[in-house]
Amino acid sequence: MTPAQLSTTIVDGLTALVEQGDLALPDGVPSEVTVERPRQKGHGDYATNVALQLAKKAGTNPRALGELLAERLRASDGIGGVEVAGPGFLNITVEAGAQGQVAAEIVAAGERYGASDAFRGERINLEFVSANPTGPIHIGGVRWAAVGDALGRIFTMTGAQVTREYYFNDHGSQIDRFSGSLLAAAKGEPTPEDGYGGQYVHDIARAIVEQRPDVLGLGDEEAQEVFRAVGVDMMFEEIKKSLHEFGVDFDVFFHEDELHKSGAVDRAVARLRELGNVYEQDGAVWLATEKFGDDKDRVIIKSDGQGAYLSGDLAYYLDKRERGFDRCLIMLGADHHGYVGRMNAMCAAFGDQPGTNLEILIGQMVNLLRDGQPMRMSKRAGTVVTIDDLVEAIGVDAARYALARYSSDSNIDLDLDLWAKATNDNPVFTVQYAHARVSSLLRNAADLGVEAASHPELLTHEKEGVLLRALAEFPRVVTAAAELRGPHRVARYLEELAGTYHRFYDSCRVLPMGDEETTDLHRARLLLVQATRTVLANGLGLLGVSAPERM
């Protein structure tokens, strides 16, 4: 019995009490009930505080409601016992057979175990990374690559239609500075004061000259335009290649330049004007964002007729909504924190709901440590640590796991020496090793001719019960990770599960020894091991991390 199944059993019990007239709930029976694993041994397999939540509405006290519900639950299939504790908590013990059945359900579900309909029917646009095409992706962008892709996988697992989108900033002054830097590098001149340095600039400049040998014979203005057109494409291809090798691919690459060429900005301004949220002052066009919670109104079209920075955001957001997305999630770095208020105000100005139609997630800083010292310089980029530097140091799996393991709103200090170790000090090694160890055991079982079978009533050992309950938690962990935008919840769960499995293995012999006869208990435990492998593999898959069968 999983927590979700037990929740359904409790809801059914409440419904029966209402229908029989033993309980009155004016607001109706809740569609689901929160069920948790008790922190203390002896408090049953699961606990719920539903009696405390409903007692006032039912016109009774929590303990009386708890006793009424407990009596009903004790007669339910799969329930071994119910105790009313304290002011009205219900501590529930599940029968061994019902609990053991979880293993068979997990193996039968396979790759779909952990899936739900929590976001069924929702179309989510997930925009992340979106680094300027003026250099390799730095460590902050790499964090969003890991977290954003994992979140996309988790949303998909919970029923959403997810589009991963990269906003390609190919419009503006940063592109001018980049093309000027390429031209200077090709001519052997120093990097412009506001330009981009690093070996990668010289590499791209050299490649452009090889492709266009005539470029340096052109006038500076014409030559810079060549370096702009060719250089931006080359840089962006490198960015896409690095992301692909990191296991991150996008469904849409949206070009900022298109917003300004297609008239999308004008359409967005016209829509906001129709809604009464645009006005003109001092020759400029303003968006009335202060009334929607921003600290001041914002210029969207400057007095010279040029669009302000916010104008592109208006057009881009409206474009996403017109493409049919219910939720637009944007992942930004810590330096964009002050940007959240105006974006939410913009969303409200369109008549939408901030936090629902538009949600902005802020990722905090990542600091890399090597030999205990901060790592700040890249061999190739010159000024920042890049995605390729991180992968070279610890590999794709460790990098993705390490960056997704922490809540995105917290700073991270990543010790590269630790994450490169093949020891249990390294969290990703711990989880991958557990999967490899499980896989090894299953190979040994196949060599011995031992086949797994479902005998749930035999899984009565304490460690078997702990492992079964841990496995049963996985669907709820996945749903919580989606609802709270926290892939780190999956990582931390997997680490706990790995430890739980090792403790089970140390206490419960799975395969027969020597000439020992194979029993149904061996077969039942083997099925439990298969279930563990399924959950470990599914969890690692949600993080975009491999599940090795040998290490």
Side-chain angles (χ1 to χ4, degrees):
M1 179 175 286
T2 67
Q5 292 167 338
L6 180 54
S7 174
T8 300
T9 298
I10 295 171
V11 169
D12 290 345
L14 289 167
T15 301
L17 290 171
V18 170
E19 290 175 348
Q20 293 168 7
D22 296 326
L23 180 66
L25 289 173
D27 296 334
V29 177
S31 59
E32 61 180 354
V33 170
T34 300
V35 176
E36 298 178 329
R37 292 162 65 188
R39 294 183 179 181
Q40 298 181 23
K41 290 183 179 180
H43 285 191
D45 298 323
Y46 297 101
T48 179
N49 64 350
V50 66
L52 283 80
Q53 293 178 331
L54 298 180
K56 186 174 182 180
K57 295 178 181 178
T60 185
N61 67 74
R63 192 166 179 91
L65 177 52
E67 293 287 0
L68 189 65
L69 180 56
E71 183 178 355
R72 182 76 197 186
L73 291 177
R74 291 183 188 112
S76 300
D77 292 340
I79 302 296
V82 184
E83 177 188 85
V84 181
F89 292 99
L90 269 66
N91 294 332
I92 303 170
T93 302
V94 178
E95 288 181 350
Q99 182 170 259
Q101 187 60 33
V102 169
E105 293 173 0
I106 293 171
V107 172
E111 293 181 355
R112 293 297 298 161
Y113 183 68
S116 73
D117 292 331
F119 286 83
R120 178 67 61 192
E122 292 201 28
R123 294 191 62 197
I124 298 176
N125 182 285
L126 196 58
E127 182 199 334
F128 58 104
V129 183
S130 297
N132 288 338
T134 54
I137 299 175
H138 62 74
I139 191 63
V142 187
R143 181 177 196 177
W144 275 137
V147 174
D149 187 63
L151 189 54
R153 293 165 186 254
I154 290 167
F155 276 135
T156 300
M157 192 72 154
T158 51
Q161 298 178 53
V162 179
T163 295
R164 293 168 174 79
E165 188 150 318
Y166 189 115
Y167 187 52
F168 183 37
N169 296 277
D170 54 354
H171 180 91
S173 59
Q174 79 277 5
I175 300 298
D176 295 332
R177 297 197 304 271
F178 179 59
S179 57
S181 302
L182 292 173
L183 176 59
K187 294 169 68 175
E189 297 175 354
T191 301
E193 185 177 343
D194 60 348
Y196 294 89
Q199 183 59 43
Y200 77 95
V201 173
H202 293 275
D203 293 342
I204 293 174
R206 187 181 307 110
I208 294 172
V209 172
E210 289 176 359
Q211 188 179 118
R212 287 286 305 272
D214 64 318
V215 67
L216 293 180
L218 304 173
D220 280 358
E221 186 174 330
E222 189 177 357
Q224 184 162 334
E225 187 55 38
V226 172
F227 280 103
R228 175 202 301 271
V230 181
V232 168
D233 283 347
M234 283 186 174
M235 188 69 254
F236 198 47
E237 286 304 313
E238 285 203 26
I239 288 173
K240 288 194 281 188
K241 179 175 180 290
S242 294
L243 286 168
H244 176 73
E245 291 173 351
F246 197 61
V248 177
D249 293 297
F250 287 85
D251 303 300
V252 174
F253 290 98
F254 193 100
H255 290 254
E256 179 185 5
D257 210 35
E258 284 300 311
L259 292 173
H260 299 271
K261 292 178 179 178
S262 67
V265 172
D266 293 336
R267 290 198 303 275
V269 173
R271 173 74 65 85
L272 291 164
R273 195 184 298 276
E274 290 173 4
L275 293 168
N277 294 322
V278 164
Y279 64 91
E280 296 184 14
Q281 181 176 303
D282 300 328
V285 179
W286 296 70
L287 179 62
T289 51
E290 187 174 3
K291 66 181 179 180
F292 296 110
D294 197 6
D295 57 353
K296 61 181 180 181
D297 290 349
R298 304 284 174 176
V299 173
I300 49 179
I301 304 296
K302 294 181 287 188
S303 57
D304 63 2
Q306 296 297 309
Y309 189 80
L310 185 61
S311 66
D313 293 324
L314 300 177
Y316 189 33
Y317 174 72
L318 182 59
D319 179 88
K320 287 179 179 179
R321 295 287 283 135
E322 289 177 341
R323 281 187 272 152
F325 292 108
D326 308 301
R327 295 178 185 267
C328 303
L329 270 69
I330 305 175
M331 300 181 172
L332 300 174
D335 55 341
H336 288 76
H337 196 278
Y339 203 56
V340 176
R342 76 189 68 171
M343 291 291 286
N344 283 334
M346 172 204 74
C347 171
F350 276 113
D352 287 344
Q353 182 64 48
T356 299
N357 302 116
L358 175 66
E359 184 176 349
I360 298 175
L361 306 180
I362 297 294
Q364 296 300 326
M365 298 293 292
V366 180
N367 300 307
L368 301 184
L369 305 177
R370 171 164 275 163
D371 300 324
Q373 298 299 316
M375 179 180 172
R376 303 188 187 281
M377 302 292 286
S378 167
K379 297 174 185 174
R380 187 159 177 262
T383 55
V384 293
V385 180
T386 71
I387 185 171
D388 297 324
D389 295 323
L390 182 60
V391 169
E392 181 182 351
I394 61 176
V396 171
D397 280 348
R400 288 192 61 133
Y401 191 99
L403 292 169
R405 183 178 183 259
Y406 301 91
S407 173
S408 58
D409 60 5
S410 64
N411 291 327
I412 308 177
D413 288 326
L414 290 188
D415 185 337
L416 297 179
D417 299 314
L418 182 149
W419 285 95
K421 287 182 179 178
T423 70
N424 285 331
D425 293 333
N426 179 348
V428 70
F429 176 85
T430 298
V431 177
Q432 289 183 314
Y433 176 69
H435 185 271
R437 189 179 187 190
V438 165
S439 299
S440 175
L441 190 153
L442 293 175
R443 287 195 299 273
N444 291 339
D447 291 342
L448 293 172
V450 180
E451 296 184 357
S454 181
H455 297 282
E457 73 284 353
L458 300 180
L459 298 177
T460 58
H461 192 283
E462 177 192 356
K463 300 300 182 185
E464 293 167 343
V466 173
L467 180 55
L468 284 162
R469 288 190 291 277
L471 295 172
E473 287 288 320
F474 183 60
R476 187 160 63 182
V477 170
V478 176
T479 299
E483 292 174 342
L484 301 173
R485 319 300 191 241
H488 66 281
R489 293 173 177 272
V490 175
R492 298 306 176 104
Y493 164 83
L494 291 175
E495 291 164 37
E496 291 183 11
L497 178 61
T500 300
Y501 171 75
H502 293 317
R503 289 187 288 275
F504 152 78
Y505 183 83
D506 291 342
S507 299
C508 302
R509 171 151 291 280
V510 177
L511 299 179
M513 294 183 65
D515 296 330
E516 183 183 357
E517 182 181 350
T518 301
T519 66
D520 286 342
L521 179 57
H522 291 125
R523 299 183 183 96
R525 286 177 172 170
L526 190 60
L527 191 68
L528 179 53
V529 171
Q530 286 184 345
T532 303
R533 180 172 68 172
T534 295
V535 175
L536 288 169
N538 289 2
L540 286 168
L542 289 176
L543 300 177
V545 176
S546 70
E549 297 199 354
R550 290 179 170 84
M551 289 182 71

